[in-house]
């Protein structure tokens, strides 16, 4: 699974200027409990990267869980009218009210991150660096957990 460096590299290749330490793992947020249950087994995850002038989403492969070199969504900051971030059970719900409509995303909280998809995707399938294995020779390098608080605050600061 990718180090945050890969997210930055892919975003740069696509022509954007990534802001360091402002990438997290997100999914599209379900609208209600029924959709939440239906999406429970979905493997659709994205790296959300804050860049100089916009937010970009890069997809993870649904089967391989490898980050793809493909920007699936770009949201220029000047098209974002309002950002709302709130706790939603074990996640954060991020609502972006844009000129084109509402985009709702979900980011897993840090508390159980090592045992959830965002922890796995931001450190690798082996668990090394996630805090699940003993410290030993491994180094904790979970960029979702490390970036979450500052990224959420930076998103809130986008409010017009």
């Amino acid at each position: 699974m990718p180090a945050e460096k890969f997210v930055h590299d892919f975003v740069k290749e696509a022509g954007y200027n990534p802001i360091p330490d402002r990438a997290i793992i997100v999914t599209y947020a379900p609208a209600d409990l029924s959709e939440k249950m239906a999406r429970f087994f979905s493997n659709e995850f994205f790296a959300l990267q804050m860049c100089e002038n916009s937010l970009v989403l890069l997809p993870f492969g649904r089967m391989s869980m490898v980050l793809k070199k493909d920007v699936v969504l770009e949201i220029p900051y000047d098209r974002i009218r309002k950002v709302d971030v709130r706790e939603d059970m074990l996640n954060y719900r991020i609502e972006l009210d844009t000129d084109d409509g509402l985009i709702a995303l979900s980011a897993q909280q840090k508390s159980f991150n090592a045992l959830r998809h965002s922890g796995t995707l931001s450190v690798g399938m082996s668990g090394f660096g996630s805090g699940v294995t003993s410290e030993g020779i491994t180094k904790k390098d979970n960029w979702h957990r490390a970036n979450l608080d500052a990224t959420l605050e930076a998103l809130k600061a986008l409010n017009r």
Side-chain angles (χ1 to χ4, degrees):
M1 296 305 122
E4 187 177 11
K5 176 191 177 320
F6 290 111
V7 176
H8 291 175
D9 290 348
F10 293 173
V11 167
K12 284 179 187 174
E13 284 179 33
Y16 302 94
N17 188 14
I19 299 171
D21 304 322
R22 294 299 173 270
I24 58 174
I25 307 291
V26 298
T27 62
Y28 285 107
D32 55 31
L33 184 58
S34 295
E35 188 178 349
K36 190 177 282 192
M37 290 171 57
R39 285 192 182 194
F40 181 77
F41 297 103
S42 169
N43 287 331
E44 192 170 27
F45 292 91
F46 304 88
L48 177 146
Q49 173 67 60
M50 296 186 77
C51 296
E52 187 176 321
N53 299 308
S54 58
L55 294 174
V56 297
L57 290 178
L58 298 163
F60 285 90
R62 291 185 115 177
M63 298 302 285
S64 67
M65 300 305 265
V66 173
L67 189 66
K68 294 182 176 185
K69 290 185 181 185
D70 182 26
V71 172
V72 294
L73 181 64
E74 178 207 3
I75 310 166
Y77 294 140
D78 62 2
R79 298 189 60 87
I80 297 174
R81 292 186 238 159
K82 182 180 177 197
V83 178
D84 182 41
V85 177
R86 64 182 180 276
E87 287 190 32
D88 182 22
M89 299 178 74
L90 298 175
N91 300 319
Y92 286 103
R93 185 176 180 90
I94 304 163
E95 292 184 350
L96 306 166
D97 183 8
T98 72
D99 291 345
D100 299 319
L102 183 70
I103 299 169
L105 303 170
S106 181
Q108 295 176 348
Q109 292 182 6
K110 297 187 305 186
S111 303
F112 296 105
N113 166 262
L115 304 173
R116 300 182 72 201
H117 284 97
S118 58
T120 301
L121 294 172
S122 60
V123 299
M125 295 299 285
S126 67
F128 289 135
S130 67
V132 173
T133 60
S134 63
E135 286 298 317
I137 60 169
T138 64
K139 174 188 166 208
K140 286 188 182 178
D141 191 20
N142 180 322
W143 52 267
H144 173 84
R145 183 171 41 214
N147 295 347
L148 185 63
D149 293 335
T151 302
L152 293 178
E153 288 304 314
L155 288 169
K156 290 179 201 175
L158 295 175
N159 282 315
R160 287 189 200 167

